[in-house]
Amino acid sequence: MIIIPAIDIIDGKAVRLYQGNYDKKDSIKGEVLEIAKSFKDAGAELIHLVDLDGAKEGKLVNEDLILNVVKTLNIDVEVGGGIRTFEDIKALIDGGVRRVILGTVAIEDKELLKKAVEEFKEKIAIAIDFKDGFICTKGWINKSKTHYIDLIKEIKELEVTNIIVTDISKDGTLEGPNVDIIKEISEITNIDITSSGGIKNIDNIITLNKLNIYGCIVGKAIYSKDVNLKEAIDSVK
């Protein structure tokens, strides 16, 4: 399992939200590039970047900043938030982004999803963001009528290679991840799973590692110093 540190971006600045609520926003000290460099220096092989402005507005807003991180640091990143067109997907990948994360598109534009996976294959990941069992879209503001299990079964036919699973009720809470759901999903699919949301400490990471999943995203726990990134990376080697 790899540890993937997260940077959420609003107005070009790093922030953390509580359960995806834009009204419960904490600013993070330091510039996005500076924070990303500290993650690289700690040994991270992949960084999770989310354009929260983009997620809310339905279009990429912080693209230049994100691509500058890739170019300046020469590090792999995965990017989500507001990516709703083929042109945006291509621009990110052409700019050096390792993996583009599609969330709203997976529910609202099946043709684009299919086209993106066919064209870019393992460079496309699907965000399985849910609350009370149902997928949420558009920056987690809208709750769909699609259950997370149904979406996973659906995308299985598209040869998607990576899904990022977020229980929104856990995100930014430091209450621990929803291990039961991660385990449930790992038992019904052979797609690589990245767990996101709720990490509180190294023990949470060790527990997820025992499930033999692909990755674990850690955000708030790093900023609150509940998790030392280098120690977390070393714990799963």
Side-chain angles (χ1 to χ4, degrees), residues 106-107 110 129-137 143-152 154:
I107 296 294
K110 306 292 187 184
D129 303 329
F130 62 89
K131 194 170 186 177
D132 302 322
F134 293 92
I135 297 294
C136 294
T137 62
K143 184 188 285 187
S144 75
K145 295 180 179 180
T146 302
H147 194 272
Y148 67 87
I149 293 295
D150 294 329
L151 179 58
I152 291 168
E154 189 175 313

Tab-separated table of all heavy atoms in Angstrom, residues 106-107 110 129-137 143-152 154:
chain	number	residue	atom	x	y	z
A	106	ALA	N	-18.626	10.377	-13.727
A	106	ALA	CA	-18.968	8.954	-13.621
A	106	ALA	C	-20.468	8.743	-13.449
A	106	ALA	O	-20.994	7.674	-13.781
A	106	ALA	CB	-18.224	8.319	-12.454
A	107	ILE	N	-21.158	9.752	-12.951
A	107	ILE	CA	-22.609	9.673	-12.764
A	107	ILE	C	-23.360	10.357	-13.888
A	107	ILE	O	-24.365	9.844	-14.393
A	107	ILE	CB	-23.015	10.331	-11.418
A	107	ILE	CG1	-22.419	9.562	-10.243
A	107	ILE	CG2	-24.542	10.422	-11.277
A	107	ILE	CD1	-22.949	8.170	-10.067
A	110	LYS	N	-21.741	9.344	-18.894
A	110	LYS	CA	-21.192	8.002	-19.096
A	110	LYS	C	-20.368	7.901	-20.377
A	110	LYS	O	-19.377	7.162	-20.417
A	110	LYS	CB	-22.326	6.967	-19.147
A	110	LYS	CG	-23.279	6.993	-17.958
A	110	LYS	CD	-22.617	6.555	-16.685
A	110	LYS	CE	-23.638	6.435	-15.561
A	110	LYS	NZ	-23.030	6.097	-14.270
A	129	ASP	N	-17.308	8.745	-4.064
A	129	ASP	CA	-17.565	9.636	-2.935
A	129	ASP	C	-19.021	9.469	-2.505
A	129	ASP	O	-19.934	9.734	-3.294
A	129	ASP	CB	-17.345	11.099	-3.340
A	129	ASP	CG	-15.939	11.348	-3.884
A	129	ASP	OD1	-15.010	10.662	-3.440
A	129	ASP	OD2	-15.791	12.233	-4.751
A	130	PHE	N	-19.240	9.049	-1.262
A	130	PHE	CA	-20.620	8.764	-0.871
A	130	PHE	C	-20.928	9.233	0.547
A	130	PHE	O	-20.039	9.395	1.392
A	130	PHE	CB	-20.909	7.262	-0.990
A	130	PHE	CG	-20.046	6.418	-0.084
A	130	PHE	CD1	-20.449	6.119	1.213
A	130	PHE	CD2	-18.833	5.929	-0.522
A	130	PHE	CE1	-19.653	5.349	2.052
A	130	PHE	CE2	-18.023	5.163	0.313
A	130	PHE	CZ	-18.431	4.877	1.605
A	131	LYS	N	-22.205	9.438	0.768
A	131	LYS	CA	-22.722	9.768	2.098
A	131	LYS	C	-24.005	8.991	2.291
A	131	LYS	O	-24.862	8.970	1.407
A	131	LYS	CB	-22.982	11.276	2.222
A	131	LYS	CG	-23.206	11.733	3.655
A	131	LYS	CD	-23.206	13.264	3.724
A	131	LYS	CE	-23.276	13.720	5.175
A	131	LYS	NZ	-23.214	15.202	5.276
A	132	ASP	N	-24.114	8.313	3.420
A	132	ASP	CA	-25.275	7.453	3.685
A	132	ASP	C	-25.456	6.417	2.582
A	132	ASP	O	-26.583	6.013	2.260
A	132	ASP	CB	-26.555	8.288	3.832
A	132	ASP	CG	-26.446	9.329	4.935
A	132	ASP	OD1	-25.838	9.016	5.975
A	132	ASP	OD2	-26.949	10.452	4.753
A	133	GLY	N	-24.345	6.029	1.964
A	133	GLY	CA	-24.383	4.981	0.946
A	133	GLY	C	-24.560	5.463	-0.477
A	133	GLY	O	-24.362	4.697	-1.417
A	134	PHE	N	-24.919	6.743	-0.671
A	134	PHE	CA	-25.217	7.237	-2.014
A	134	PHE	C	-24.156	8.218	-2.512
A	134	PHE	O	-23.660	9.065	-1.770
A	134	PHE	CB	-26.602	7.873	-2.044
A	134	PHE	CG	-27.705	6.879	-1.840
A	134	PHE	CD1	-28.196	6.610	-0.570
A	134	PHE	CD2	-28.222	6.166	-2.915
A	134	PHE	CE1	-29.194	5.667	-0.369
A	134	PHE	CE2	-29.217	5.218	-2.730
A	134	PHE	CZ	-29.695	4.966	-1.457
A	135	ILE	N	-23.813	8.075	-3.792
A	135	ILE	CA	-22.771	8.874	-4.420
A	135	ILE	C	-23.145	10.356	-4.411
A	135	ILE	O	-24.281	10.736	-4.721
A	135	ILE	CB	-22.544	8.410	-5.871
A	135	ILE	CG1	-22.049	6.959	-5.910
A	135	ILE	CG2	-21.565	9.336	-6.589
A	135	ILE	CD1	-20.680	6.739	-5.323
A	136	CYS	N	-22.158	11.187	-4.054
A	136	CYS	CA	-22.340	12.641	-4.073
A	136	CYS	C	-21.472	13.243	-5.166
A	136	CYS	O	-20.349	12.786	-5.407
A	136	CYS	CB	-21.980	13.246	-2.722
A	136	CYS	SG	-23.072	12.746	-1.382
A	137	THR	N	-21.984	14.276	-5.814
A	137	THR	CA	-21.292	14.884	-6.946
A	137	THR	C	-21.187	16.398	-6.762
A	137	THR	O	-21.687	16.957	-5.791
A	137	THR	CB	-22.050	14.592	-8.265
A	137	THR	OG1	-23.372	15.173	-8.192
A	137	THR	CG2	-22.184	13.094	-8.504
A	143	LYS	N	-26.391	14.960	-3.698
A	143	LYS	CA	-26.442	13.517	-3.459
A	143	LYS	C	-27.272	12.864	-4.564
A	143	LYS	O	-28.412	13.250	-4.813
A	143	LYS	CB	-27.060	13.200	-2.098
A	143	LYS	CG	-27.044	11.703	-1.765
A	143	LYS	CD	-27.830	11.380	-0.505
A	143	LYS	CE	-27.082	11.799	0.732
A	143	LYS	NZ	-27.772	11.328	1.971
A	144	SER	N	-26.693	11.873	-5.225
A	144	SER	CA	-27.387	11.182	-6.310
A	144	SER	C	-28.254	10.056	-5.752
A	144	SER	O	-28.299	9.826	-4.542
A	144	SER	CB	-26.370	10.607	-7.298
A	144	SER	OG	-25.750	9.448	-6.746
A	145	LYS	N	-28.906	9.345	-6.647
A	145	LYS	CA	-29.700	8.190	-6.251
A	145	LYS	C	-28.942	6.885	-6.515
A	145	LYS	O	-29.520	5.797	-6.442
A	145	LYS	CB	-31.032	8.188	-7.010
A	145	LYS	CG	-31.932	9.377	-6.659
A	145	LYS	CD	-33.234	9.322	-7.427
A	145	LYS	CE	-34.138	10.506	-7.061
A	145	LYS	NZ	-35.419	10.487	-7.806
A	146	THR	N	-27.664	7.020	-6.817
A	146	THR	CA	-26.834	5.860	-7.137
A	146	THR	C	-26.074	5.388	-5.904
A	146	THR	O	-25.333	6.158	-5.287
A	146	THR	CB	-25.823	6.200	-8.247
A	146	THR	OG1	-26.524	6.647	-9.407
A	146	THR	CG2	-24.975	4.977	-8.595
A	147	HIS	N	-26.261	4.129	-5.543
A	147	HIS	CA	-25.542	3.560	-4.407
A	147	HIS	C	-24.106	3.256	-4.830
A	147	HIS	O	-23.844	2.927	-5.988
A	147	HIS	CB	-26.218	2.268	-3.951
A	147	HIS	CG	-25.778	1.789	-2.608
A	147	HIS	ND1	-24.687	0.965	-2.441
A	147	HIS	CD2	-26.258	2.035	-1.362
A	147	HIS	CE1	-24.521	0.719	-1.156
A	147	HIS	NE2	-25.458	1.346	-0.474
A	148	TYR	N	-23.174	3.385	-3.898
A	148	TYR	CA	-21.762	3.200	-4.253
A	148	TYR	C	-21.484	1.805	-4.811
A	148	TYR	O	-20.651	1.643	-5.718
A	148	TYR	CB	-20.843	3.520	-3.075
A	148	TYR	CG	-20.928	2.596	-1.885
A	148	TYR	CD1	-20.174	1.429	-1.814
A	148	TYR	CD2	-21.747	2.899	-0.802
A	148	TYR	CE1	-20.240	0.585	-0.721
A	148	TYR	CE2	-21.823	2.062	0.304
A	148	TYR	CZ	-21.069	0.905	0.339
A	148	TYR	OH	-21.135	0.085	1.427
A	149	ILE	N	-22.178	0.783	-4.331
A	149	ILE	CA	-21.972	-0.575	-4.839
A	149	ILE	C	-22.404	-0.668	-6.301
A	149	ILE	O	-21.732	-1.297	-7.129
A	149	ILE	CB	-22.745	-1.601	-3.996
A	149	ILE	CG1	-22.154	-1.696	-2.576
A	149	ILE	CG2	-22.713	-2.974	-4.665
A	149	ILE	CD1	-20.744	-2.233	-2.511
A	150	ASP	N	-23.521	-0.027	-6.621
A	150	ASP	CA	-24.010	-0.054	-8.006
A	150	ASP	C	-23.033	0.630	-8.950
A	150	ASP	O	-22.805	0.160	-10.075
A	150	ASP	CB	-25.386	0.609	-8.094
A	150	ASP	CG	-26.448	-0.172	-7.338
A	150	ASP	OD1	-26.327	-1.415	-7.270
A	150	ASP	OD2	-27.384	0.450	-6.802
A	151	LEU	N	-22.441	1.749	-8.503
A	151	LEU	CA	-21.469	2.447	-9.357
A	151	LEU	C	-20.228	1.595	-9.574
A	151	LEU	O	-19.714	1.512	-10.694
A	151	LEU	CB	-21.084	3.794	-8.742
A	151	LEU	CG	-20.048	4.611	-9.530
A	151	LEU	CD1	-20.529	4.883	-10.948
A	151	LEU	CD2	-19.736	5.923	-8.807
A	152	ILE	N	-19.763	0.940	-8.540
A	152	ILE	CA	-18.580	0.090	-8.664
A	152	ILE	C	-18.831	-1.058	-9.634
A	152	ILE	O	-17.995	-1.383	-10.478
A	152	ILE	CB	-18.145	-0.436	-7.278
A	152	ILE	CG1	-17.597	0.717	-6.427
A	152	ILE	CG2	-17.096	-1.539	-7.423
A	152	ILE	CD1	-17.404	0.380	-4.978
A	154	GLU	N	-20.915	-1.031	-12.061
A	154	GLU	CA	-21.079	-0.446	-13.389
A	154	GLU	C	-19.730	-0.160	-14.047
A	154	GLU	O	-19.512	-0.480	-15.217
A	154	GLU	CB	-21.891	0.850	-13.260
A	154	GLU	CG	-22.316	1.455	-14.577
A	154	GLU	CD	-23.206	2.668	-14.354
A	154	GLU	OE1	-24.143	2.589	-13.536
A	154	GLU	OE2	-22.951	3.691	-15.006
